Amino acid sequence: MKMNEYQREIIVRLLRDIKERSPFYARKFEGIDLSSIDSQEAFESLPFTDKSDLRDAYPMGLAAVPEKEIVRIHSSSGTTGTPVIIPYTKRDVEDWAVIFERCYRMAGITEEDRIQITPGYGLWTAGIGFQAGCERLGAMAIPMGPGNTEKQLRMMEDLRTTVLTATSSYALLLAEEIKRRGIRDRLCLRKGIIGSERWGEKMRDEIASYLGVEFYDIYGLTEIYGPGIGISCDYRNGIHMWDDYIYFEIIDPKTGRNVPDGEIGELVITTLRKEGAPLIRYRTHDLTRIIPGECPCGSRFPRIDIIVGRTDDMIKVRGCNMFPAQFDEVVSSIDGATCEYQVMIDHLMGKDEITVYFETSVPEDGRDVLEQELVEKIKSKMGVTVIPKAVSEGYLPRSEKKTNRFFDNRY
Ligand code: ZN
């Protein structure tokens, strides 16, 4: 995607004094003449910032303002121990509320709504972002935080909650409980804002139709404000990203080079306005793609696809990047296939071959059609031809872990 003139100007200005403001970037960009970075091409030559760099800056090494200007910190937990601390200035906190309010408006939520906030509050950024955006919009916040389903449902009913905000797994749990108790008719829910974890279309549609709500996927990460840097619209065809607050790129995670629009790769974000901890070319490790063209909703904000996975999941076969999640989606979309499948990648006669085993309840003489459907769907989705093998139910070994469905036997 082309860097627009507005973004270019902000980035040139940002780079002009980043070394003076931020000891972190003074070190990172040592020996690089930032005044020569004045085009998209030049910008793409700058080194990336990765989570490990942020971790090394613990506790306050990311700060790019004097300490008295920092009004809050948030922290993303690291699986490796040392957390990452992100300092926010007053303006950063306000900016976050501004873009979050935009998210609510994109989802058709107004000051008439009553928003039940179930993501957690605290060091992690989720809950407080939902709250600040809600108050800025002028809607009523019901700040529940996670857990205590009994109380959640009571508040939802008594306070006539119209909007549920939740992770997809918690939305599922609440929906099941509402169904079990048969209390849907007593609720006023009309919309759901769901954190963009990857979740099956099937499950999502089921919950949405049961609850009678429309779902919107919200995207964000603690290192860049938190949730709220993008959201899906009524057309549900990707996530509109607020490109006046962030500049984003999609790169090949292996080579670090930018990929053409439409191709899957890793999302890389540069903050355009952050004061407390500006980030330049930050690798999110989230895999997605730019959706080319205009959205029918008329919004001018560019779109990325729903996150398809993490870079660690990526596998390259015959020059084509692919992810276990994509096979998952295809198999679950085939009528007559159970959700059990296995993908084998082998190197035979100098060529990579992908074999997809999937279970079906269909008798043997009717399996050709299913196999054909699988091949066509994978070809159109991922651009590769696979060898399909429909097998009887119970044929494949069961496993709790999704990753155990994938066997790369090439190395
Ligand atoms: Zn749209």
Side-chain angles (χ1 to χ4, degrees):
M1 192 182 317
K2 223 176 143 330
M3 181 186 279
N4 66 40
E5 190 47 31
Y6 175 81
Q7 293 170 325
R8 199 190 64 84
E9 276 172 24
I10 291 192
I11 286 172
V12 167
R13 216 179 312 140
L14 176 70
L15 294 177
R16 200 180 302 151
D17 63 355
I18 190 86
K19 282 187 182 176
E20 286 147 53
R21 286 164 54 204
S22 161
F24 173 80
Y25 276 112
R27 250 191 327 273
K28 176 130 203 119
F29 292 152
E30 209 185 320
I32 300 175
D33 175 16
L34 293 179
S35 65
S36 69
I37 309 288
D38 59 354
S39 66
Q40 177 170 359
E41 200 188 8
F43 181 73
E44 287 172 3
S45 73
L46 284 178
F48 297 109
T49 304
D50 214 331
K51 187 142 180 175
S52 59
D53 303 327
L54 272 47
R55 219 174 269 133
D56 294 344
Y58 181 85
M60 292 298 276
L62 280 180
V65 293
E67 219 168 285
K68 66 178 191 323
E69 287 178 37
I70 295 168
V71 300
R72 189 200 287 170
I73 61 103
H74 280 293
S75 167
S76 71
S77 57
T79 38
T80 50
T82 311
V84 167
I85 304 283
I86 308 286
Y88 292 63
T89 65
K90 200 162 182 227
R91 205 187 87 182
D92 293 336
V93 169
E94 282 165 11
D95 281 349
W96 186 19
V98 168
I99 53 178
F100 217 118
E101 178 190 359
R102 254 195 222 169
C103 290
Y104 283 132
R105 289 194 188 279
M106 178 67 95
I109 294 162
T110 73
E111 68 271 18
E112 310 266 332
D113 279 295
R114 291 171 296 275
I115 305 177
Q116 190 155 334
I117 299 162
T118 75
Y121 285 74
L123 273 179
W124 188 50
T125 51
I128 200 164
F130 281 94
Q131 169 113 11
C134 169
E135 287 169 356
R136 200 186 151 85
L137 173 70
M140 184 177 96
I142 308 170
M144 299 295 296
N148 201 344
T149 303
E150 195 64 42
K151 198 165 195 177
Q152 297 278 4
L153 295 178
R154 169 144 197 214
M155 290 292 175
M156 201 178 279
E157 185 177 342
D158 294 349
L159 296 173
R160 290 177 292 123
T161 299
T162 57
V163 177
L164 172 68
T165 66
T167 61
S168 52
S169 42
Y170 198 53
L172 174 65
L173 190 145
L174 285 173
E176 279 171 348
E177 201 50 33
I178 289 165
K179 191 170 188 178
R180 198 177 66 77
R181 299 180 186 204
I183 55 172
R184 175 62 187 101
D185 292 348
R186 311 211 302 258
L187 305 177
C188 303
L189 284 182
R190 65 183 197 95
K191 308 246 176 193
I193 309 273
I194 305 299
S196 182
E197 317 156 39
R198 205 199 70 76
W199 56 327
E201 285 280 307
K202 247 185 192 170
M203 169 173 127
R204 169 210 182 88
D205 290 348
E206 262 171 43
I207 306 178
S209 81
Y210 176 69
L211 291 177
V213 300
E214 279 171 86
F215 276 147
Y216 298 84
D217 288 284
I218 196 160
Y219 178 74
L221 59 163
T222 304
E223 295 86 336
I224 319 275
Y225 296 109
I229 60 173
I231 192 167
S232 59
C233 66
D234 288 341
Y235 290 86
R236 280 183 46 192
N237 52 9
I239 294 171
H240 287 282
M241 298 285 271
W242 310 131
D243 70 347
D244 49 347
Y245 283 77
I246 53 159
Y247 172 70
F248 64 92
E249 308 165 66
I250 306 287
I251 62 155
D252 182 320
K254 294 253 163 72
T255 66
R257 273 198 286 276
N258 292 61
V259 303
D261 290 0
E263 241 172 65
I264 288 187
E266 178 181 348
L267 179 66
V268 169
I269 297 178
T270 298
T271 61
L272 296 178
R273 305 201 192 194
K274 270 192 122 193
E275 297 176 332
L279 290 178
I280 294 161
R281 304 200 84 201
Y282 181 66
R283 295 185 67 157
T284 66
H285 291 277
D286 280 332
L287 293 170
T288 182
R289 65 190 185 99
I290 285 169
I291 300 181
E294 303 269 302
C295 180
C297 77
S299 167
R300 69 152 199 87
F301 289 103
R303 288 167 298 154
I304 56 167
D305 212 337
I306 302 287
I307 306 303
V308 294
R310 301 277 298 164
T311 47
D312 329 326
D313 306 334
M314 198 182 81
I315 292 162
K316 203 165 197 152
V317 185
R318 283 183 240 143
C320 194
N321 287 336
M322 59 190 65
F323 325 97
Q326 294 175 303
F327 288 94
D328 217 75
E329 238 166 79
V330 170
V331 173
S332 72
S333 76
I334 291 176
D335 268 339
T338 74
C339 52
E340 290 297 332
Y341 68 93
Q342 237 176 41
V343 179
M344 296 277 181
I345 303 166
D346 296 288
H347 193 73
L348 299 169
M349 321 277 276
K351 211 177 141 204
D352 289 340
E353 297 280 11
I354 308 170
T355 311
V356 180
Y357 294 86
F358 63 103
E359 288 188 3
T360 174
S361 49
V362 173
E364 252 171 81
D365 54 2
R367 290 178 185 170
D368 286 1
V369 191
L370 297 190
E371 290 182 338
Q372 201 46 44
E373 187 184 345
L374 182 94
V375 171
E376 278 162 19
K377 281 187 168 163
I378 289 177
K379 175 82 189 164
S380 83
K381 201 176 174 70
M382 298 175 236
V384 293
T385 303
V386 301
I387 302 162
K389 295 258 194 248
V391 296
S392 303
E393 273 180 285
Y395 179 89
L396 296 171
R398 298 299 190 255
S399 165
E400 296 279 299
K401 277 171 74 188
K402 231 176 221 157
T403 44
N404 292 1
R405 299 173 189 282
F406 231 86
F407 299 89
D408 194 346
N409 306 321
R410 291 175 295 176
Y411 314 106

